[in-house]
């Protein structure tokens, strides 16, 4: 029970939650400004790289810098502000061939207002060191570090094209997907509506917006203010689509939340400041669904939404989900 936590944890928890909320608010403002600027900025014509993914955003090229391993989200995001096409260590080695131990490549899918480096600067090298072929895409935007703001169905189409490219390069029939926030929910649209069920073995989702978010009530407030939701939808379609009760989520969750051909793991935290309540990230119980909280394995953990992909316990849960035959006990 939560009352068993230490006094130190109770002191750290409000600070961690406040820090996460402030960073979230900053990302929201940054994302809104960036999206609005993108609508008014003049178009720039550039030559498409020969190996680009159809309809994908910021497809990987030889010029994309590889950033260092990071220990937290904020450090990674600030690095990506200067280098928005940065790749995390280990990602997008198109010559990688999966071995017998890990026959399915892992595709990393970032969250709203973020990018592949900001979310995966720690997990990507961890997976690479563990022997996986790792790939990460940017999606849902045109340029800059603030992405995944576009229409979610179109973003799922970008994921579809990227997965096909990974399968073609590696020779693998299926991939495993690891997603964060929107990136944990959007692949369900791909699986359900774009034929992804035949191409995906596992979906491991960190704090996914499976049943929407109110951003601690701000999203629902926008619904109550005349015209506010229209403005939100204009600059960030994915934001409006992820608000609790949106038409997009109702249709996504109708007629069953999962596909029997895919194994699903949800990893969340009691102290999620974005997906509230935290349990709304969970998928409906099924034979192929595992719903986890970090605190079930590390009671004193104060981890929040923003930093969960940099958390030791959450990382172990993800590794266990990808390779249950060699699962290890999560530790704090």
């Amino acid at each position: 029970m939560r009352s068993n936590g230490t006094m130190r944890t109770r002191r750290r928890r409000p600070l961690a939650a406040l820090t996460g909320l402030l960073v979230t608010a900053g990302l929201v403002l940054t994302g809104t400004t960036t999206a609005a600027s993108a609508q008014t900025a003049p178009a720039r014509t550039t030559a498409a790289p020969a190996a680009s993914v159809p309809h994908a955003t910021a497809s990987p090229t030889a010029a994309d810098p590889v950033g260092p391993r990071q220990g937290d989200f904020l450090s990674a995001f600030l690095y990506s502000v200067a280098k928005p096409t940065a790749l995390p260590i280990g990602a997008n080695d198109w010559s990688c061939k999966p071995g017998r131990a890990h026959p399915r490549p892992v595709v990393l899918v970032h969250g709203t207002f973020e990018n592949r480096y900001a979310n995966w600067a720690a997990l990507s090298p961890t997976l690479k060191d563990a022997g996986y072929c790792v790939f990460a895409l940017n999606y849902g935007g045109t340029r800059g570090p603030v992405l995944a703001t576009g229409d979610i169905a179109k973003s799922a189409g970008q994921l579809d094209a990227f997965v096909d490219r990974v399968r073609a390069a590696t020779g693998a029939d299926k991939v495993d997907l690891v997603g964060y926030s929107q990136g944990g929910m959007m692949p369900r649209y791909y699986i359900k509506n774009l034929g992804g069920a035949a191409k995906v073995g596992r979906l491991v989702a960190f704090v996914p917006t499976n049943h929407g978010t109110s951003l601690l009530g701000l999203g629902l407030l926008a619904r109550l203010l005349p015209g506010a939701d229209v403005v939100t939808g204009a600059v960030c379609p994915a934001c409006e689509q992820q608000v609790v009760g949106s038409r997009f989520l109702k249709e996504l969750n109708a007629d069953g939340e999962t596909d029997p051909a895919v194994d699903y793991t949800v990893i969340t935290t009691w102290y999620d400041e974005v997906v509230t309540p935290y349990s709304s990230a969970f998928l409906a119980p099924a034979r192929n669904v595992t719903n986890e909280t970090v605190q079930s394995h590390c009671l004193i953990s104060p981890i929040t939404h923003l930093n969960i992909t940099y958390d030791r316990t959450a990382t172990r849960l993800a590794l266990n989900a990808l390779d249950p035959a060699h699962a290890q006990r999560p530790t704090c």
Side-chain angles (χ1 to χ4, degrees), residues 3-325:
S3 58
N4 292 336
T6 65
M7 183 63 69
R8 183 183 64 176
T9 300
R10 288 195 291 268
R11 288 196 298 266
R12 293 172 61 193
R13 187 174 69 203
L15 178 60
L18 178 60
T19 301
L21 180 58
L22 290 174
V23 176
T24 301
L27 290 176
V28 171
L29 292 175
T30 303
T32 301
T33 302
T34 301
S37 299
Q39 290 184 340
T40 58
R44 294 186 297 176
T45 302
T46 58
S52 64
V53 180
H55 309 298
T57 299
S59 55
T61 70
D64 290 340
V66 176
R69 187 190 294 257
Q70 301 282 0
D72 62 89
F73 168 81
L74 185 57
S75 297
F77 183 81
L78 291 176
Y79 183 94
S80 72
V81 171
K83 299 181 179 181
T85 63
L87 281 165
I89 292 172
N92 293 12
D93 175 4
W94 296 98
S95 66
C96 186
K97 301 297 180 183
R100 294 179 62 183
H102 304 301
R104 291 194 294 266
V106 175
V107 174
L108 304 175
V109 191
H110 64 79
T112 311
F113 300 139
E114 294 158 4
N115 59 75
R116 63 190 176 191
Y117 182 80
N119 285 152
W120 308 119
L123 187 60
S124 178
T126 297
L127 290 170
K128 187 69 173 180
D129 290 346
Y132 289 91
C133 291
V134 185
F135 298 88
L137 78 160
N138 280 334
Y139 71 90
T142 56
R143 61 182 182 274
V146 180
L147 299 172
T149 59
D151 175 74
I152 295 176
K154 292 181 180 178
S155 294
Q158 294 173 7
L159 175 62
D160 182 20
F162 191 81
V163 167
D164 281 349
R165 183 183 177 195
V166 170
R167 292 170 61 238
T170 61
D173 290 335
K174 293 186 176 184
V175 303
D176 287 337
L177 302 177
V178 177
Y180 165 80
S181 199
Q182 181 194 155
M185 175 272 292
M186 176 269 280
R188 291 179 49 226
Y189 184 96
Y190 162 58
I191 291 169
K192 181 176 183 178
N193 298 301
L194 302 180
K199 305 173 186 178
V200 175
R202 303 181 187 277
L203 170 58
V204 181
F206 292 93
V207 290
T209 51
N210 283 325
H211 299 98
T213 173
S214 67
L215 284 176
L216 291 178
L218 296 179
L220 291 177
L221 179 61
R223 287 293 179 86
L224 296 174
L225 298 174
D229 58 338
V230 176
V231 174
T232 301
V235 297
C236 179
C239 298
E240 194 280 335
Q241 289 172 315
Q242 291 177 92
V243 172
V244 174
S246 73
R247 178 179 178 181
F248 177 87
L249 288 172
K250 287 179 179 178
E251 292 178 351
L252 177 64
N253 292 324
D255 303 320
E257 297 180 359
T258 56
D259 188 291
V262 179
D263 287 326
Y264 300 79
T265 299
V266 171
I267 303 168
T268 188
T269 170
W270 285 350
Y271 309 122
D272 194 321
E273 73 280 23
V274 176
V275 178
T276 54
Y278 75 88
S279 56
S280 67
F282 291 155
L283 291 168
R287 174 195 55 79
N288 57 332
V289 171
T290 301
N291 291 313
E292 295 268 21
T293 59
V294 168
Q295 288 75 22
S296 295
H297 303 274
C298 180
L299 184 63
I300 64 173
S301 173
I303 198 68
T304 62
H305 186 96
L306 286 173
N307 269 316
I308 195 168
T309 61
Y310 292 87
D311 179 72
R312 176 180 179 179
T313 308
T315 295
R316 172 44 57 190
L317 291 173
L319 291 171
N320 289 351
L322 291 171
D323 188 6

